[in-house]
Amino acid sequence: MKKHVVIIGGGITGLTAAFYLQREIRKHRLPVTFTLIEMDDRLGGKIDTLKKDGFVIERGPDSFLARKTSAVELVQDAGLEDALVRNRTGQAYVLNDDVLHPIPKGTAMGIPIDLSAFTDSELLSPAAKARSALDLVLPRRKDGDDPSVGNFFRRRLGGETVDKLIEPLLSGIYAGDLDRLSLKATFPQFYELEQKERSLMVGMRKSRANATDNGAAKGQFLTLRDGLSSLVEKLEAALPAKAILKGSSISDIRKQDDRFRITTEAGKSLHADAVISTVPHEAAETFLPGATFLRGMGGAPATTVATIAMAFRADQVRSDQDGTGFVVSRKAGYQMTACTWTHKKWPHTVPKGRALLRCYVGKPGDEAIVNKPDDEMARIVLSDLKRVMTIDGEPAFTVVTRWRRAMPQYVVGHLSWLHHLRTQTLRELPGLYFAGASYEGVGLPDCIKQGKKAAQDALHYANR
């Protein structure tokens, strides 16, 4: 009798799980089938590329970190390696006091590694620079603590450096409040660096010195020439059409003897020997009502954000700065949180003689702007932009995309909660696997890594 695996959710995590599940089934000629169930009428989740008037516009993520190899490996395995494009490098800025300040020289992710270069920056006061230097003498934190990101960096570098430099650089990754986010769950490398070297400055300096010098600086991010949706299309095309069930929501999952019964909102029932859930955790809670141990991801709701892409003629947009974009200090008095000068960072996505500005809005605890009508949101963002750049006239077109409750918050204690979730699931619902942005990383490589691991685990369990 053939075994059956059901994958819930057709975002990048679920697609990855299905892709590698099928590859292993074919490679080893295993008696296993699978079904991928997606509530929407399209696959890809937050990956959504729009092509308009020669522009390639990402509504969701626009790239992934090159150093996290899982995404590159998936692209290679899908046969799209020749379509990889690396971002163009350039100066990035921090917006504070209506001034675009270059990210201070002699820093790495906001952490000073060259004090003489760092002190030349006009972003921070002399007192803040002196306070940051205390990192060189402060003791390491007691091992075992799980501090918030904000608490950790304020202790080491001081409040002003966090507010004006660290927070705008780091918070955008999780669209969260640094004073609530768990350091160990979001940026464990900094915790480990402090434990090993005591001083962040010393540790980052050593890391840079030990890094391989490849000559000219290369961009840290990769994307695909025709947009990230081309990866989704390639993965979907590689799967059997009969194995994909779109436009179908799950209403209930129950364990019956040694198998799972999955019921859809339309009343369709499927049986599975293993289940991979890749949807947001709060959604998983709704179709597993009997599993009380699932409750309480951490108490912080996922944040809501939006992107506003504005297309212009190149001669409409002028700035005294040349670079790839800027992040905004949270206390700077702007609605936008960041802006990418896409035509400079990803020139292949913009027609010649055109410019594309991609801005971000939505802050934890202050998401009102995301609920405004498209035209009003665009007017607010354009007004923000004109405070720091010269922009003549109106954009040729604007693309507004809202992502509601899209960014899960890994608050302090997240890793303990995750350990409890894994332990209780293994005990009470063996054969059920959770993967995706709610658990072990929100970026594409992290989700891809989780999807591949879940496929391996589910296949092993189904064939036990």
Side-chain angles (χ1 to χ4, degrees):
M1 178 180 173
K2 283 191 173 183
K3 302 290 186 177
H4 187 220
V5 177
V6 169
I7 302 164
I8 302 171
I12 192 60
T13 310
L15 273 170
T16 299
F19 179 80
Y20 284 114
L21 194 64
Q22 176 176 254
R23 195 168 76 157
E24 288 301 298
I25 291 170
R26 289 180 172 176
K27 180 179 179 180
H28 300 288
R29 299 188 178 185
L30 300 174
V32 179
T33 60
F34 66 89
T35 302
L36 174 65
I37 303 175
E38 166 56 43
M39 67 178 293
D40 206 346
D41 59 2
R42 56 172 285 274
L43 301 182
K46 297 184 185 73
I47 295 176
D48 188 4
T49 306
L50 171 68
K51 295 182 179 179
K52 180 179 174 65
D53 298 345
F55 290 84
V56 178
I57 300 171
E58 298 289 2
R59 291 178 175 270
D62 68 357
S63 59
F64 52 86
L65 273 170
R67 63 178 173 81
K68 292 192 172 184
T69 58
S70 56
V72 175
E73 289 169 357
L74 178 61
V75 169
Q76 294 171 336
D77 291 339
L80 287 173
E81 184 176 7
D82 290 344
L84 284 169
V85 179
R86 192 177 291 269
N87 71 288
R88 181 174 291 179
T89 60
Q91 179 67 55
Y93 298 84
V94 177
L95 175 56
N96 190 71
D97 294 332
D98 293 333
V99 176
L100 288 175
H101 297 271
I103 291 179
K105 293 181 180 179
T107 63
M109 295 185 73
I111 299 170
I113 56 176
D114 181 342
L115 280 177
S116 60
F118 174 67
T119 55
D120 289 338
S121 172
E122 296 181 359
L123 173 63
L124 302 170
S125 68
K129 297 169 187 175
R131 172 60 183 85
S132 294
L134 285 179
D135 170 77
L136 293 168
V137 297
L138 286 171
R140 63 174 56 84
R141 182 180 294 269
K142 185 183 299 184
D143 191 19
D145 289 351
D146 182 17
S148 71
V149 178
N151 176 277
F152 177 83
F153 280 105
R154 289 182 203 285
R155 175 178 175 270
R156 296 227 62 96
L157 301 175
E160 184 181 333
T161 299
V162 170
D163 292 340
K164 292 184 178 179
L165 183 57
I166 300 293
E167 189 274 336
L169 287 176
L170 298 188
S171 66
I173 299 172
Y174 288 89
D177 181 350
L178 292 194
D179 291 315
R180 297 194 68 185
L181 293 177
S182 160
L183 181 75
K184 286 186 174 180
T186 56
F187 301 102
Q189 67 271 31
F190 295 127
Y191 179 87
E192 293 161 4
L193 202 62
E194 185 197 43
Q195 291 300 308
K196 181 180 178 182
E197 303 291 349
R198 184 188 54 75
S199 163
L200 292 181
M201 292 185 187
V202 171
M204 291 295 283
R205 193 180 301 137
K206 286 184 178 180
S207 297
R208 282 298 180 94
N210 293 334
T212 302
D213 184 3
N214 293 317
K218 295 196 300 183
Q220 300 179 55
F221 299 94
L222 292 168
T223 192
L224 294 171
R225 186 180 305 111
D226 293 323
L228 291 174
S229 284
S230 62
L231 175 59
V232 172
E233 293 161 4
K234 192 77 170 179
L235 294 175
E236 182 176 1
L239 302 175
K242 64 181 181 181
I244 302 173
L245 187 60
K246 298 179 188 177
S248 187
S249 300
I250 304 296
S251 65
D252 186 71
I253 296 180
R254 296 182 187 274
K255 194 79 181 280
Q256 294 183 331
D257 298 324
D258 201 31
R259 304 190 83 201
F260 293 90
R261 188 190 71 185
I262 299 101
T263 306
T264 70
E265 295 284 0
K268 180 181 177 66
S269 288
L270 301 89
H271 286 85
D273 298 279
V275 175
I276 301 171
S277 174
T278 70
V279 297
H281 187 75
E282 60 183 21
E285 290 180 0
T286 65
F287 54 66
L288 286 160
T292 56
F293 66 86
L294 294 180
R295 307 294 181 267
M297 184 178 168
T303 53
T304 295
V305 296
T307 64
I308 303 94
M310 297 181 175
F312 297 90
R313 296 190 318 273
D315 61 8
Q316 287 181 269
V317 179
R318 298 185 301 281
S319 174
D320 293 335
Q321 293 79 18
D322 185 25
T324 56
F326 58 89
V327 293
V328 183
S329 172
R330 191 170 184 180
K331 297 181 180 180
Y334 287 74
Q335 289 285 343
M336 62 180 172
T337 59
C339 176
T340 301
W341 298 328
T342 306
H343 54 293
K344 295 183 178 182
K345 188 173 184 178
W346 303 107
H348 73 281
T349 66
V350 178
K352 187 175 181 180
R354 301 289 177 173
L356 183 67
L357 306 179
R358 189 172 187 240
C359 300
Y360 306 78
V361 298
K363 305 172 186 178
D366 183 16
E367 301 168 353
I369 186 174
V370 182
N371 297 318
K372 294 182 182 296
D374 287 5
D375 56 350
E376 186 176 351
M377 191 190 308
R379 282 198 303 270
I380 291 170
V381 170
L382 186 58
S383 176
D384 273 359
L385 288 171
K386 287 183 175 181
R387 290 169 62 182
V388 292
M389 301 172 59
T390 300
I391 299 178
D392 297 328
E394 299 292 316
F397 64 85
T398 300
V399 178
V400 175
T401 308
R402 293 170 180 79
W403 295 107
R404 298 192 181 279
R405 299 177 67 83
M407 299 295 288
Q409 299 300 287
Y410 296 179
V411 297
V412 171
H414 179 81
L415 294 184
S416 296
W417 170 83
L418 186 60
H419 175 74
H420 175 73
L421 174 70
R422 304 285 194 213
T423 301
Q424 291 300 112
T425 303
L426 183 62
R427 180 179 298 126
E428 299 185 31
L429 293 170
L432 173 62
Y433 301 93
F434 294 103
S438 291
Y439 308 103
E440 296 181 83
V442 299
L444 295 181
D446 295 316
C447 289
I448 289 167
K449 183 178 180 180
Q450 292 177 69
K452 186 175 184 179
K453 174 67 163 53
Q456 294 168 345
D457 291 342
L459 197 57
H460 177 76
Y461 181 84
N463 276 312
R464 68 194 188 286

